[in-house]
Amino acid sequence: MKRKNKYYNRSRISEHKFRQVLKYFCADLTADQIASLTNLNRNTINKILTLIRVRILEISNLQSTPLIGQIEVDESYFGARRVRGRRGRGAKGKIIVFGLLKRGDKVYTEIVDDCSAATLQSIIRGKTSIDSVIHSDGWRGYNGLVDFGYKKHFRVYHSKDEFARGSSHINGIESFWGYAKTRLVKFKGMDKNMFKYHLKECEFRFNNRKQNLYEILLKEFRNRPLN
């Protein structure tokens, strides 16, 4: 009788093979590379990687707690090149992502429909402590944060070629955008419906950059197997 795979319910692959797939996933190899190294069918690999990414999204949502401290906020556009100077408008065909980063710690990302003050400030109020120091650029969507109780809101004005004012900058969140976009290049042509899973994978990898991803996920799947 075939031994049950304790990491992956109703699986046709062995635990050893699953651990191989997980190790290569954590090493950030592509599905083609993993299929070649494990001698598994590409469709089988795609299914496993999708299940892993769905679980990572669930973990990220469960572990999301309000950030407190020095917080950088910014939005970014994923997909086709954005028309320069049309921020918050002219984003047709692009996915808008809003991000908050606690300096030296974690990032939180969320796909948004627009860059309006109502949208962005609602997320800021829900995901940061009122005692936090907010750093942003000059986008008008951030106007009025002080009225909601954020007494320390500092800005840099990129439109005036200003990228830092003393300790005020958003270099951290902009660095994360660069990391995420560089990573996602290899998934060129991905189904748009899968973008949120790949985005949260970038977030998860960044937030656990000092940890052993393989051990974290193996323990997760041991406690709650994939289905």
Side-chain angles (χ1 to χ4, degrees):
M1 183 176 179
K2 192 174 182 179
R3 187 182 176 194
K4 181 180 178 182
N5 187 327
K6 63 174 172 280
Y7 306 109
Y8 183 10
N9 289 335
R10 298 186 295 278
S11 172
R12 294 184 178 180
I13 67 172
S14 68
E15 289 183 358
H16 171 70
K17 191 68 75 172
F18 177 80
R19 288 194 296 268
Q20 277 190 319
V21 173
L22 185 60
K23 282 183 178 179
Y24 292 138
F25 170 83
C26 292
D28 214 7
L29 300 189
T30 65
D32 281 334
Q33 290 172 321
I34 297 174
S36 176
L37 289 168
T38 59
N39 292 315
L40 290 173
N41 181 276
R42 171 63 188 272
N43 290 335
T44 298
I45 296 299
N46 283 342
K47 180 179 179 181
I48 296 172
L49 298 191
T50 296
L51 289 172
I52 291 173
R53 290 182 172 117
V54 170
R55 180 63 62 81
I56 284 174
L57 175 64
E58 293 174 4
I59 295 170
S60 297
N61 289 337
L62 287 172
Q63 294 181 345
S64 177
T65 56
L67 304 173
I68 181 171
Q70 301 282 334
I71 310 298
E72 299 177 21
V73 301
D74 192 35
E75 338 83 56
S76 191
Y77 295 74
F78 288 75
R81 186 178 296 276
R82 178 170 61 89
V83 178
R84 188 171 179 81
R86 298 281 293 176
R87 184 178 183 186
R89 305 184 299 271
K92 184 177 180 180
K94 304 162 190 68
I95 299 174
I96 312 171
V97 180
F98 183 52
L100 304 92
L101 177 139
K102 178 180 178 180
R103 288 182 179 172
D105 195 8
K106 298 183 182 297
V107 68
Y108 170 80
T109 61
E110 186 170 326
I111 298 171
V112 295
D113 293 328
D114 56 59
C115 297
S116 67
T119 296
L120 303 186
Q121 294 186 29
S122 174
I123 298 172
I124 292 172
R125 288 154 59 195
K127 292 298 179 180
T128 67
S129 164
I130 201 71
D131 297 318
S132 294
V133 178
I134 306 297
H135 299 272
S136 76
D137 61 16
W139 173 240
R140 64 174 178 268
Y142 303 119
N143 293 348
L145 277 173
V146 174
D147 297 333
F148 289 111
Y150 292 91
K151 300 185 183 301
K152 295 182 179 180
H153 175 203
F154 301 104
R155 312 175 82 143
V156 291
Y157 292 87
H158 292 171
S159 61
K160 299 178 181 179
D161 292 327
E162 181 182 64
F163 295 93
R165 180 183 293 183
S167 63
S168 185
H169 60 77
I170 55 171
N171 296 342
I173 187 66
E174 289 184 332
S175 178
F176 173 77
W177 295 140
Y179 156 72
K181 289 180 179 180
T182 298
R183 254 202 94 248
L184 294 177
V185 164
K186 63 184 177 183
F187 302 107
K188 186 176 180 180
M190 78 168 77
D191 185 331
K192 199 170 183 178
N193 293 325
M194 288 298 296
F195 176 78
K196 63 181 179 181
Y197 299 107
H198 286 280
L199 175 67
K200 284 297 178 179
E201 181 188 345
C202 289
E203 178 185 309
F204 183 80
R205 287 180 182 275
F206 180 87
N207 289 344
N208 292 281
R209 60 196 179 278
K210 298 177 182 179
Q211 308 299 320
N212 186 318
L213 287 183
Y214 174 73
E215 294 297 337
I216 290 173
L217 290 174
L218 194 67
K219 181 179 179 180
E220 165 69 21
F221 302 142
R222 187 183 299 120
N223 293 334
R224 193 160 61 99
L226 293 172
N227 290 302

